[in-house]
Structures are given as structure tokens and as C-alpha cells.
């Protein structure tokens, strides 16, 4: 399970619309207290890395502190960032 | 009823606006306060209305659109936030009290204020506007179109002048947002303040401001935002930096439907239709005995407003007769724009103001002309 957190409500709403338009399945949830985040609304992705990668692409491959991806792990969550591919390096 | 007071508020709303508000009242929770359906419905509606407004007004991005209770609150937020003691500000005599009073209050608190005159024909001398700027001018707050005469002023030209002096251009678009095409980007407007309940056909209690990138407005109202609860400071980023407290999501839902209506009809098409009816109304009025048209032809463009006096008669008396005998709704008096009346020479008498919308019909124009004709003949 993965969670996307945001710096503001507006960012969360924008991401909701963007992921819905990209046919990425998600649901909203209150931001887990284990994650330090600005906005109280988080998006939950139940799937594998491929799904999360699609979400990451749809949201413009964020690397800033605003939109942050987290992977559920034992004891809580850990930050998630896709492994860099040669394509990412070329674009980045 | 013949409703010709659309510059005050548009009484006839698109059915979709009423439906949107009704649906919101039955469905919405509090936006940004929960992750459940009812809260998200409100939050997504607010977000989508931001997008629609940003698109309509060609604002930098949806996140640079902040909602307010009305254009007055938006203007107050800008004036309060951007001006400090020692700054200089400029406005024109066409300004509404929603601009004048906040500036007067700031003047009492140490800003310097220059008011550029308007000529009796409603025109603005742009050289005089340019000459008003000083090294410490922080911003010019100007009306896009007079709520008294409909005379419109060249925002792009004023922005260019302001920027040449290192100042911001703040545009009061109360009479123009939705009534004529506006591009914040192309016209280089720094802050555009709009109301939702006039030519955007939304409910009263809606409005806001669009802020260019690089312009940061400290909030004058701080409070809950639904996130960052442990921070003592209001969030620094728009839009939430300027949106403390529960938003008027019901009203914003209606505003979104109104913006959709305008965008679908096409702002330019609405402007053409209203302009044609305005011209016909004015032509008909001008031909009536004792009627003197006030302003309307001095600006860079003209909104759907016709202001006139009837002989020496008190405008309030004329409007009262129009309402009582003909069921015609119009506004009289000073219209919250005292300096415009000084420019027009109508301080004592006021003016009768007819103002149109995209829902005004030719039959209403004909009926208005018949009504004024009848009153004019009474002497």
C-alpha cells in the first residue's frame, strides 16, 4: 500500500482530479499520523510499484517537498521514489 | 418586473447555478476537513471552480485564485496586505468605495494617496495617470469599468505604465469579469479582483482575486485552513494563505456553474449582444425630451450600463416612479462612487442607472424606453 501526501488541500484536490483523469485507482484517506505532512488529506494507492509509478508519472514526477510518496512498511511508512531509469535521467 | 440593475447584481441566474447551489446544500461537507465523500465533493468543486476562473480570466494557475466573500473583501485583502505606512498608492476618480474607503483608511494610517481625475465625459487621461507615479509608489488600484457610466479603462496600458514605475497594477474587475474578455497574462495585470454575483452569474457571497506569480500578499485574515494545524502561522502559499476558515462552498458551486455558463456562451459573444442592446437603449433614451446621457463614451470600451438624468429631477424620484408605475428596477443616486459623480457634475441630482445582462431582452429594452418616455412627458 502506498500513500501520497500534499502540502495543501488545493494540491490534494488537484492531484485527485489528475489521477482520476489518468485512470489511476486511488481513494482518499486522512493523512496517517505516522507521516509528517501539511495537508490532512492523503491519497491511498493499493497496488504494486507499477501502479505507483503510473501515479507518479501522472502527477508530473514530483520531486519537491509538496507531493510526497510513501510506502507502507512494518511500523509505519517510508519515503518512496521510483528507481531512476535512463529515460528519467534524460528527461530530468 | 423589468430588471435593469444588473450592475448591482444579476437577478436572473442560469438554471444550472440554482441547481448547483441546491445540490451543494444537500451534499456538501466541509472542504478540506475530511477525507470522506461529502468533504471531498466540496473540496473538488472548489478546486474545479478555481480552474474554471483561472481559465476564463487567463490567470497564471488555479492555485493563484483565492476566493473571498465578494470583490470588496478581495480588494480589502490586497490593499491591506500590500500597502504599508510610507508607501504611495494611486487610484482614479472612477473608483467605487470598495477601493476608495480601504485606501482612505490606509491614508489615515500613513500611506500617501493620489487620485487621478476623470473628465466629465468619463475619460481618463493616461498621461496624467503616468504623471501620478512617484519613486515610492507601491501600487495603482484602478477600476476596469465605472459602475456608474460603464466607461472602461485600458488595463494593459495602465499595467504597462505601473510596471515602468516599478509598481503593481491591481484591477477592480467587478463590472467586467464575465462581461468582456480579460487576459491577466496578456494584459500583465498583477492582481485582478472579481465578484461572483454580477457578470459571472453566481450567488451573492462569492468573489475573489487572481494573483500573478511573484506577487505575494500577506493575509489580513488568518485562521483554520484544514491542514498544518500545529503551525502558528497561516500557510504561506496561495490559495490557502488568503482563505482562512470554511469557504462558501455552496456559493462557489453556484459560481462554478455561472462561470461554465459564461464560458459556454462565450464572453465575447455575451459582450457583443449586451453592447448592441446597450447602444439601442441609449439611442432611444437620448431621443427623449429632458434626458441627458451621462458618460459612456469616454472610455476604451463600454459595459452594459447607461446612466442618465431627466431634466433637473432627483434621480431617486425618477427611479421610484419607474418602479411604482412600471415595475422597472433600476438604481439611483451616487452608486457608491462619489468621485465619479463629482466628475460628471451629478452630486446633487444623482443619475438613473440602467444596467443590462445577457438575460436582458429586447422587450425589456422597449418597455424601459416606453416607461422613461411616459415619465418624461409628465414633466
Amino acid at each position: 500500500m502506498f500513500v501520497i501526501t500534499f502540502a495543501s488541500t488545493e494540491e490534494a484536490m488537484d492531484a485527485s482530479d489528475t489521477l482520476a483523469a489518468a485512470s489511476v485507482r486511488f481513494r482518499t484517506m486522512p493523512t496517517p499520523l505516522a507521516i509528517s505532512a501539511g495537508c490532512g488529506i492523503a491519497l491511498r494507492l493499493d497496488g504494486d510499484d507499477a501502479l505507483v509509478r503510473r501515479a507518479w508519472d501522472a502527477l508530473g514526477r514530483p520531486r519537491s517537498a509538496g507531493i510526497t510518496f510513501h510506502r507502507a512498511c512494518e511500523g509505519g511508512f517510508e519515503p518512496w521514489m521510483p528507481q531512476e531509469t535512463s529515460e528519467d535521467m534524460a528527461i530530468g | 418586473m423589468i430588471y435593469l440593475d444588473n450592475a448591482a447584481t444579476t437577478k436572473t441566474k442560469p438554471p444550472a447555478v440554482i441547481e448547483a447551489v441546491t445540490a451543494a446544500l444537500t451534499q456538501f461537507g466541509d472542504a478540506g476537513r475530511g477525507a470522506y465523500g461529502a468533504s471531498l465533493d466540496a473540496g473538488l468543486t472548489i478546486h474545479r471552480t478555481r480552474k474554471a476562473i483561472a481559465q476564463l480570466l487567463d490567470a497564471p494557475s488555479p492555485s493563484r485564485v483565492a476566493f473571498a466573500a465578494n470583490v470588496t473583501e478581495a480588494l480589502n485583502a490586497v490593499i491591506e496586505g500590500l500597502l504599508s505606512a510610507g508607501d504611495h498608492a494611486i487610484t482614479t476618480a472612477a473608483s467605487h468605495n470598495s477601493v476608495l474607503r480601504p485606501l482612505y483608511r490606509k491614508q489615515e494610517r500613513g500611506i500617501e494617496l493620489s487620485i487621478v481625475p476623470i473628465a466629465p465625459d468619463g475619460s481618463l487621461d493616461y498621461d496624467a495617470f503616468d504623471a501620478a507615479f512617484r519613486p515610492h509608489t507601491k501600487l495603482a488600484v484602478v477600476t476596469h469599468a465605472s459602475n456608474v457610466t460603464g466607461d472602461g479603462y485600458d488595463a494593459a496600458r495602465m499595467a504597462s505604465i505601473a510596471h515602468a514605475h516599478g509598481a503593481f497594477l491591481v484591477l477592480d474587475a467587478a463590472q467586467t469579469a464575465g462581461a468582456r474578455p480579460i487576459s491577466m497574462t496578456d494584459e500583465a495585470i498583477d492582481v485582478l479582483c472579481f465578484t461572483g454575483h454580477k457578470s459571472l452569474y453566481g450567488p451573492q457571497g462569492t468573489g475573489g482575486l487572481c494573483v500573478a506569480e511573484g506577487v505575494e500578499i500577506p493575509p489580513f485574515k488568518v485562521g483554520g485552513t484544514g491542514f498544518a494545524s500545529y503551525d502558528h502561522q497561516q500557510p504561506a502559499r496561495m490559495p490557502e494563505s488568503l482563505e482562512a476558515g470554511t469557504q462558501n462552498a455552496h456559493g462557489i458551486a453556484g459560481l462554478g456553474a455561472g462561470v461554465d455558463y459564461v464560458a459556454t456562451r462565450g464572453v465575447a459573444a455575451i459582450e457583443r449582444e449586451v453592447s448592441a442592446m446597450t447602444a439601442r437603449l441609449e439611442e432611444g433614451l437620448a431621443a427623449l425630451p429632458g434626458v441627458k446621457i451621462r458618460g459612456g463614451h469616454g472610455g476604451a470600451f463600454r459595459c452594459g450600463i447607461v446612466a442618465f438624468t431627466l431634466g433637473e429631477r432627483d434621480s431617486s424620484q425618477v427611479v421610484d416612479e419607474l418602479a411604482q408605475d412600471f415595475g422597472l428596477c433600476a438604481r439611483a443616486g451616487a452608486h457608491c462612487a462619489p468621485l465619479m459623480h463629482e466628475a460628471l457634475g451629478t452630486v446633487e441630482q444623482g443619475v438613473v442607472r440602467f444596467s443590462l445582462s445577457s438575460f436582458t431582452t429586447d422587450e425589456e429594452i422597449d418597455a424601459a424606453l416606453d416607461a422613461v418616455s411616459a415619465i418624461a412627458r409628465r414633466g
Side-chain angles (χ1 to χ4, degrees), chain B residues 47-307:
Chain B
H47 168 67
R48 288 166 187 161
T49 302
R50 263 189 241 286
K51 280 179 73 171
I53 289 169
Q55 189 161 2
L56 186 77
L57 300 174
D58 197 19
S61 76
S63 67
R64 302 298 288 182
V65 177
F67 292 114
N70 42 44
V71 70
T72 297
E73 186 176 79
L75 287 161
N76 269 266
V78 177
I79 290 168
E80 188 60 36
L82 288 183
L83 286 173
S84 303
D87 289 339
H88 174 243
I90 295 170
T91 190
T92 76
S95 285
H96 185 277
N97 273 337
S98 55
V99 171
L100 295 175
R101 283 179 173 166
L103 286 174
Y104 291 153
R105 186 169 67 169
K106 275 295 198 182
Q107 192 177 29
E108 291 167 4
R109 294 174 183 171
I111 70 153
E112 296 169 37
L113 178 63
S114 295
I115 302 176
V116 182
I118 295 291
D121 67 352
S123 63
L124 170 69
D125 182 340
Y126 292 91
D127 290 336
F129 179 74
D130 189 6
F133 283 81
R134 302 176 191 171
H136 59 301
T137 303
K138 183 76 178 286
L139 50 81
V141 190
V142 297
T143 188
H144 201 190
S146 165
N147 69 305
V148 180
T149 64
D151 286 292
Y153 304 101
D154 188 337
R157 187 172 180 182
M158 291 189 285
S160 176
I161 292 170
H163 295 160
H165 292 279
F168 294 130
L169 192 283
V170 178
L171 193 70
D172 172 7
Q175 297 297 332
T176 54
R180 65 177 275 107
I182 299 174
S183 168
M184 265 192 84
T185 305
D186 292 348
E187 298 177 71
I189 298 162
D190 295 300
V191 184
L192 184 153
C193 297
F194 64 91
T195 189
H197 68 92
K198 297 183 200 285
S199 297
L200 292 176
Y201 300 94
Q204 292 168 14
T206 62
L209 56 160
C210 306
V211 184
E213 296 287 356
V215 181
E216 302 307 325
I217 302 174
F220 84 113
K221 184 173 72 171
V222 296
T225 53
F227 63 94
S229 295
Y230 291 98
D231 293 351
H232 284 200
Q233 304 287 327
Q234 186 79 358
R237 286 194 336 186
M238 282 191 69
E240 287 93 348
S241 59
L242 299 177
E243 292 182 352
T246 295
Q247 294 301 293
N248 177 11
H250 307 133
I252 293 168
L255 174 59
V259 174
D260 284 346
Y261 163 81
V262 169
T264 302
R265 284 282 307 271
V267 183
I270 291 174
E271 184 184 32
R272 278 194 302 273
E273 290 168 18
V274 172
S275 289
M277 281 193 290
T278 304
R280 190 165 82 80
L281 175 62
E282 183 185 274
E283 187 181 348
L285 287 170
L288 298 175
V291 169
K292 180 174 181 180
I293 303 296
R294 301 290 184 162
H297 294 279
F301 61 89
R302 199 243 186 102
C303 280
I305 293 173
V306 181

Side-chain angles (χ1 to χ4, degrees), chain A residues 7 10-11 14 17 28-29 38, chain B residues 35 40 47-48 50 227-228 240:
Chain A
E10 172 62 16
E11 224 170 41
D14 192 35
D17 266 357
T28 53
M29 62 181 286
Chain B
L40 293 172
H47 168 67
R48 288 166 187 161
R50 263 189 241 286
F227 63 94
E240 287 93 348

